[in-house]
Structure formats: structure tokens, C-alpha cells
């Protein structure tokens, strides 16, 4: 069912003041999130405070939820990075934003000014790109805008977004304008996973009409790759996954063939793909984050011009081993960050493609819960039942 495209008008009396609201806090790795009252400070220079309308659970949230404290993990923390919200107030030096505007917070910074942001060759912001991935606070000063509502304890940020909260503070380089013509729930999807997958097929691989594609891992990102390949006119889109139910689901996004590695006997997946594609897929995508699957995807690509795109993030420290001989013979391999998209330029294009009925977003939303039931979203993802579970803030649905 379509959600109301008109969000509630944010309060104007809270600008410059601390806001008390509810947030789902991750206090220890792997433990259930607790919904408690927190304090959200006003935005400082170059920052915007958002009222979150809805957010969703991504595999990256789960990865960091499980991760022990270390260089890129700290607790207590407010997770969440795929969301849509409304500007509640803006800090000093913020230009081009005003109260009441709808916005997408995006983990990938886009300052539009550094060498990389001005180049068509990259979407890796040279000024802020690494800080958001490894920091626990705001991009520019590293401090937190969150405090525990009872104890005053500092709560850490996540990927520059922290959307599992009714209010959050985001740097302007992590904020993208989104029109009110696209429904709130569909807009939320463009904040991370769907954009990453579609972008991987469109920008990173540049899939051509009539080409063959193999996708390893059919979660939301993998199926978004399939959708991107379908939009680009691929003639054969092969999905590889252990969950046989993903084939029927994937057909909605253009999947034409399916391989379950447990049902092919002694054959390797790459052998089956080569048989299905007369020598190997033109484009292969690894969307899970396992070095062994990255190597298998590379082996599944066609000799001479096959291209493998790494979308999943390897979090186990395993090296990727490929034969230099195979590279010399024409196969190539590359990685992609946020699908190669520049958030402030390309997200609006994807929104338009949805409104023009070119981009299929509706089937990605498989479940919806309220913030108080956020742990159910984690359960559904762990059970393999969910692509995207939307988490609605009170009064916003």
C-alpha cells in the first residue's frame, strides 16, 4: 500500500534546544537493542538535525551489531544508516537546507568540492570518505550529539547517520534532497541497499544490452543488482544463493536462472555458469563479502572480457587470490562503493526512474514494524525471510 507522501510538519520550537526522544540503543555486541529515551543535541556548524520518518535494517547494521569493540566498533551505539527524514533545524554555515524539507541521510559522503567528488571517475570523497566509516562521532569534530536520557552517557554514532532514533544529526555532506512526490517508504530504500545494487550494474559494471550476468548472493543488494541489470537490458541474469525461495522472488527483478550450490553435485558454481553462458558470464557480482566467493565469481566470468564487481565487504580479513595469468587473458576485477553512485547527483535520478515506472522498488519491502519492535527486524533478516523490513517511527506511518 502506498504511504502518504506528506510528512508531518516538524516542530519549530525545538531549534537550538536539546530534544528528548526514543532511540534503539545497541549496548553490547549481539544483544537485543533497547528502546530508551535519549537526548539529541542541536546541530553545530555544517550539521542538520533530522526527524526520522522511517528507517530500515541492512546487513551492514547486523555486521556491526555483532562486531566486538575495536578500531571500527564501539558501544553503546545507535545503529541504522538507511532512512528518510525531515529537516528539524540546521546549524551555522549550512546552505541550501531549511526546516521541513525531506532528506535522505546517506553513509557515503558527497562534499561536491574535493578532487574525487568533482571527478566522474570516483564517488570516494577525499575530504570525508574515510572518517564516516571508522569514526564514532560527527565527521568534523568527532564528538557525539547523543546522550543517554537517564545517565548522560555518550552514545556513539554509526556511519554518519544513526537512524535508529526518532531524531539524529547528520553532516551536510551526508544529506541528499528527495522530493515529496516519491512515497516515504520507497524513498527510504534509495538511502543505501537498492542504490548500491542498481548502481553496481549501471555505473560500476556498465552492463550492456544482451549481456549475461551472474550474481552471487541474493539479498536486497544482490536483487538490486539484478534489477539494475534488467534495466540495462541483460539477456540472462543468473542468481546464486543457498535459499531456493530467492528464485521466485528474484524473477520480479529480472532473474532468469538460478543456481543452488548444494544441488549441483561435485561441480563448481563457475563450471555451471560457464555451461549456461557458453564460456562464462560477461559480468559477475559478489554481494556477500566472502573472499572465496569473490574468487569463484572471478572464475565464472568470461575469458577475454569478463568483469567481476565486488560489492560485498570482506570483514574476515581473508585475502582475495586470483591468478595473474587469468587477468592477462582478459578478465578484470574491481570493487564498488555505494554502487559507484554520487549521492547528491544520482539518487534523484533513481527516484525519477521509480516515478516513471522504470525502477521496481515495491517488492523489496517485505515487512514493516514500529521502533518498539525493531528486534523483530533482526530476527526476520537472520531467518532469511526479509529483504527490507521498514521500521516506522511513532506517528509517521
Amino acid at each position: 500500500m502506498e504511504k502518504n507522501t506528506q510528512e508531518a510538519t516538524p516542530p519549530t520550537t525545538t531549534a537550538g534546544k536539546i530534544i528528548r526522544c526514543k532511540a534503539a540503543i545497541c549496548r553490547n555486541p549481539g544483544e537485543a537493542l533497547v528502546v530508551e529515551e535519549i537526548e539529541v543535541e542541536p546541530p553545530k556548524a555544517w550539521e542538520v538535525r533530522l526527524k526520522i520518518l522511517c528507517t530500515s535494517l541492512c546487513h551492514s547494521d547486523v555486521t556491526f551489531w555483532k562486531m566486538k569493540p575495536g578500531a571500527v566498533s564501539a558501544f553503546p551505539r545507535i545503529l541504522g544508516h538507511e532512512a528518510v527524514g525531515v529537516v528539524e533545524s540546521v546549524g551555522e554555515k549550512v546552505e541550501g537546507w531549511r526546516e521541513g524539507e525531506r532528506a535522505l541521510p546517506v553513509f557515503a559522503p558527497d562534499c561536491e568540492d574535493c578532487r574525487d567528488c568533482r571527478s566522474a571517475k570516483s564517488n570516494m570523497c577525499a575530504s570525508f570518505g574515510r572518517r564516516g566509516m571508522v569514526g564514532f562521532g560527527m565527521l568534523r569534530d568527532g564528538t557525539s550529539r547523543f546522550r543517554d536520557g537517564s545517565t548522560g552517557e555518550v552514545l556513539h554514532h554509526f556511519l554518519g547517520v544513526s537512524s535508529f532514533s526518532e531524531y539524529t544529526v547528520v553532516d551536510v555532506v551526508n544529506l541528499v534532497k528527495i522530493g515529496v512526490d516519491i512515497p516515504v517508504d520507497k524513498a527510504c530504500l534509495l538511502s543505501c541497499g537498492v542504490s548500491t545494487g542498481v548502481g553496481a550494474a549501471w555505473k560500476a559494471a556498465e552492463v550492456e544490452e544482451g549481456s549475461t550476468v551472474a550474481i552471487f548472493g541474493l539479498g536486497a543488494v544482490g536483487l538490486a543488482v539484478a534489477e539494475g541489470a534488467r534495466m540495462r537490458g541483460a539477456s540472462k541474469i543468473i542468481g546464486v544463493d543457498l535459499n531456493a525461495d530467492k528464485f521466485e522472488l528474484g524473477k520480479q527483478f529480472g532473474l532468469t536462472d538460478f543456481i543452488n550450490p548444494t544441488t549441483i553435485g561435485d561441480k563448481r558454481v563457475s563450471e555451471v555458469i560457464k555451461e549456461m553462458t557458453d564460456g562464462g558470464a560477461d559480468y559477475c557480482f559478489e554481494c556477500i563479502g566472502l573472499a572465496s566467493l569473490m574468487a569463484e565469481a572471478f572464475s565464472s566470468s568470461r575469458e577475454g572480457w569478463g568483469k567481476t564487481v565486488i560489492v560485498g565487504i570482506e570483514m574476515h580479513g581473508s585475502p582475495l587470490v586470483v591468478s595473474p595469468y587469468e587477468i592477462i587473458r582478459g578478465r578484470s576485477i574491481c570493487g564498488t562503493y555505494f554502487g559507484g553512485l554520487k549521492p547528491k547527483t544520482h539518487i534523484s535520478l533513481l527516484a525519477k526512474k521509480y516515478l516513471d515506472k522504470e525502477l521496481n522498488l515495491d517488492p523489496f519491502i517485505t515487512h514493516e514494524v514500529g521502533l518498539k519492535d525493531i528486534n523483530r527486524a533482526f530476527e526476520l533478516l537472520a531467518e532469511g525471510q526479509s529483504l527490507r523490513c521498514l521500521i516506522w517511527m511513532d506517528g509517521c506511518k
Side-chain angles (χ1 to χ4, degrees), residues 218-283:
L218 297 178
V221 173
L223 290 172
V225 171
E227 175 66 7
R230 180 197 65 78
M231 293 171 65
R232 297 282 292 183
S235 61
K236 184 181 286 290
I237 304 174
I238 306 165
V240 182
D241 201 282
L242 296 173
N243 185 346
D245 294 337
K246 291 295 180 71
F247 187 26
E248 284 302 315
L249 183 60
K251 288 178 181 178
Q252 300 177 80
F253 304 106
L255 214 63
T256 60
D257 299 88
F258 181 80
I259 300 172
N260 185 334
T262 65
T263 64
I264 57 176
D266 295 332
K267 286 186 176 181
R268 291 175 56 186
V269 171
S270 57
E271 294 178 60
V272 177
I273 290 176
K274 287 174 182 176
E275 291 172 359
M276 297 171 69
T277 58
D278 189 26
D282 299 316
Y283 299 97

Side-chain angles (χ1 to χ4, degrees), residues 27 74 78 95 118 134 197 200 221 239 244 262 265 275 331 343 356:
R27 294 204 170 274
I78 299 176
E95 298 178 354
R118 286 186 281 107
V134 301
V221 173
T262 65
E275 291 172 359
R331 289 188 173 110
D356 291 342

Side-chain angles (χ1 to χ4, degrees), residues 117-305:
C117 286
R118 286 186 281 107
S119 171
K121 298 178 181 179
S122 172
N123 69 340
M124 298 290 293
C125 179
S127 297
F128 300 101
R130 291 189 179 274
R131 295 189 214 174
M133 294 298 292
V134 301
F136 305 138
M138 296 300 297
L139 278 182
R140 298 176 196 257
D141 66 8
T143 62
S144 177
R145 303 291 170 268
F146 301 123
R147 296 289 186 277
D148 185 290
S150 299
T151 66
E153 179 185 18
V154 169
L155 305 174
H156 299 294
H157 289 247
F158 178 61
L159 297 183
V161 178
S162 291
S163 58
F164 291 169
S165 173
E166 292 178 322
Y167 287 84
T168 189
V169 179
V170 179
D171 194 284
V172 290
V173 300
N174 291 104
L175 211 54
V176 175
K177 289 182 184 290
I178 192 78
V180 297
D181 45 357
I182 181 171
V184 168
D185 52 347
K186 309 309 185 302
C188 181
L189 299 174
L190 300 179
S191 180
C192 179
V194 170
S195 294
T196 296
V198 172
W202 166 33
K203 294 289 290 182
E206 297 183 318
V207 170
E208 304 112 335
E209 185 174 355
S211 57
T212 56
V213 170
I215 304 164
F216 289 71
L218 297 178
V221 173
L223 290 172
V225 171
E227 175 66 7
R230 180 197 65 78
M231 293 171 65
R232 297 282 292 183
S235 61
K236 184 181 286 290
I237 304 174
I238 306 165
V240 182
D241 201 282
L242 296 173
N243 185 346
D245 294 337
K246 291 295 180 71
F247 187 26
E248 284 302 315
L249 183 60
K251 288 178 181 178
Q252 300 177 80
F253 304 106
L255 214 63
T256 60
D257 299 88
F258 181 80
I259 300 172
N260 185 334
T262 65
T263 64
I264 57 176
D266 295 332
K267 286 186 176 181
R268 291 175 56 186
V269 171
S270 57
E271 294 178 60
V272 177
I273 290 176
K274 287 174 182 176
E275 291 172 359
M276 297 171 69
T277 58
D278 189 26
D282 299 316
Y283 299 97
C284 293
F285 299 84
E286 200 279 348
C287 302
I288 295 177
L290 292 175
S292 58
L293 277 183
M294 296 173 188
E296 188 67 6
F298 180 77
S299 297
S300 303
S301 66
R302 186 175 183 83
E303 187 176 274
W305 64 70

